[in-house]
Amino acid sequence: MSDQSPQGPLARLKALWARPTVRLGTVLFIGGAALGLVGAGGTATMVQHTNKTEFCVACHVYDEFYEEYKGTVHHTNATGNRAECADCHIPHDNWINMMVHKARSGLKDAAAYTVGGINTPEEFEERRAVLAKEVWARYERENSMRCRRCHETEAWDLTAQSQAAQGAHQAVLSGNATCIDCHKGIAHSIPEGALAAYQDAAGEPVSAQLASARLAMSDKTEPGAAPQANDADPAAPAPDGAKLFESCTSCHGKFAPGPKTMAALSPEAFMSRIETHMNTGGTVASLSEAEIKAIHEYLKSL
């Protein structure tokens, strides 16, 4: 029996196609598939375009902010590996989360820059402290996952790092710390609003790393408590050197930076060593002179 007979496959196919519902269904299916492909391609193109740093800094309020970023190691470095805006400010754990974040951030920014009163670099600067703290809080909640996209803990060679870095990164590996605890002020300087409460004895703003450490310490105090000062309060109880030393071991480990070696130093030499370490940031940056002396006395008692 040939395909041209009434009972052949071709005849049955023609009969099926003659039904209006089949023709309509086929057209809708092909049209829907075509629209889906166009939509997927358009979405991918949109995501690729809006993830570019050039798109992010197109708003004029970011002019000075962008210039600041260009002077950091995340923009220019020896390896040529550049961290773009989207690498740090957009989640990449899954596509849906990324799209939701982009939509929410886009609407929020559009509202802020049209009716929210941010229309100049100066107005943006006034809000930077609040915005920075929001980003820091998000990084803490996410365990700095955006840092870890490039800085994989599994690839760390701790033996190639400084002693201070080894201790801090051991705390990260043990789950007691996260990247943003120490690395605020890396791609963008810490805003003046966040630095205001953290000044040295001469009233000058401290370094970004030092401010970051003090911010981290103040976040662990009771709500409303003032940041710890460098000068001891005569009315305050005597510092507990043993307890304070625990803050050292949380990053440096129990036997670093060498309790016996540090204990053997004179009070002046010990203070000088600690002050030098303060310049690199870390928990020590928040200690008062009385607390440093208490740590020294505790080490001498071991």
Side-chain angles (χ1 to χ4, degrees):
M1 185 179 294
S2 70
D3 288 347
Q4 302 301 320
S5 68
Q7 304 300 320
L10 184 59
R12 289 197 295 271
L13 183 60
K14 288 181 178 180
L16 185 65
W17 181 250
R19 298 177 184 177
T21 55
V22 172
R23 292 201 301 271
L24 177 62
T26 303
V27 170
L28 290 176
F29 175 79
I30 295 175
L35 287 175
L37 290 174
V38 171
T43 299
T45 301
M46 180 273 293
V47 169
Q48 183 180 34
H49 176 70
T50 56
N51 275 355
K52 292 181 178 179
T53 295
E54 291 77 7
F55 175 84
C56 298
V57 299
C59 182
H60 68 281
V61 302
Y62 289 136
D63 290 347
E64 296 178 14
F65 199 52
Y66 180 47
E67 290 301 316
E68 177 186 86
Y69 153 73
K70 287 166 65 176
T72 70
V73 70
H74 278 82
H75 181 274
T76 306
N77 51 69
T79 62
N81 185 22
R82 178 172 296 169
E84 305 286 355
C85 298
D87 293 323
C88 301
H89 290 282
I90 300 295
H92 297 271
D93 53 336
N94 65 72
W95 189 84
I96 294 177
N97 191 26
M98 179 184 69
M99 294 302 296
V100 170
H101 181 90
K102 286 177 72 69
R104 184 166 53 208
S105 296
L107 292 173
K108 181 180 177 181
D109 290 349
Y113 301 144
T114 54
V115 298
I118 301 179
N119 194 42
T120 66
E122 292 74 22
E123 291 170 342
F124 174 68
E125 190 67 30
E126 291 176 0
R127 297 282 296 276
R128 274 189 65 188
V130 173
L131 298 173
K133 289 180 180 180
E134 290 178 357
V135 173
W136 297 339
R138 185 184 306 123
Y139 267 61
E140 289 177 359
R141 290 194 304 270
E142 298 174 348
N143 194 21
S144 304
M145 71 173 183
R146 304 175 201 194
C147 303
R148 297 167 184 265
R149 289 187 67 239
C150 295
H151 305 281
E152 298 181 21
T153 55
E154 295 82 0
W156 281 349
D157 179 5
L158 297 184
T159 62
Q161 301 174 3
S162 68
Q163 186 180 49
Q166 288 182 42
H169 289 157
Q170 285 286 5
V172 172
L173 293 174
S174 62
N176 294 321
T178 189
C179 309
I180 199 64
D181 288 338
C182 294
H183 294 290
K184 298 180 180 74
I186 299 300
H188 304 291
S189 65
I190 294 180
E192 289 185 10
L195 284 174
Y198 305 96
Q199 299 177 337
D200 61 19
E204 295 295 326
V206 297
S207 66
Q209 292 86 355
L210 194 54
S212 175
R214 292 183 178 176
L215 282 168
M217 288 297 291
S218 68
D219 288 343
K220 295 177 175 62
T221 61
E222 293 298 322
Q228 195 170 15
N230 282 336
D231 297 326
D233 181 358
D240 185 341
K243 186 174 182 179
L244 290 167
F245 183 63
E246 291 179 4
S247 65
C248 304
T249 62
S250 65
C251 285
H252 293 285
K254 186 175 181 180
F255 301 104
K260 291 183 178 180
T261 301
M262 297 294 283
L265 297 173
S266 68
E268 294 77 14
F270 185 82
M271 183 65 71
S272 176
R273 181 74 64 85
I274 296 299
E275 288 176 347
T276 299
H277 187 32
M278 281 183 171
N279 293 330
T280 65
T283 303
V284 68
S286 66
L287 298 176
S288 68
E289 183 176 341
E291 289 171 328
I292 295 172
K293 290 180 178 179
I295 294 174
H296 191 212
E297 291 299 320
Y298 168 70
L299 294 177
K300 288 165 62 177
S301 70
L302 295 177

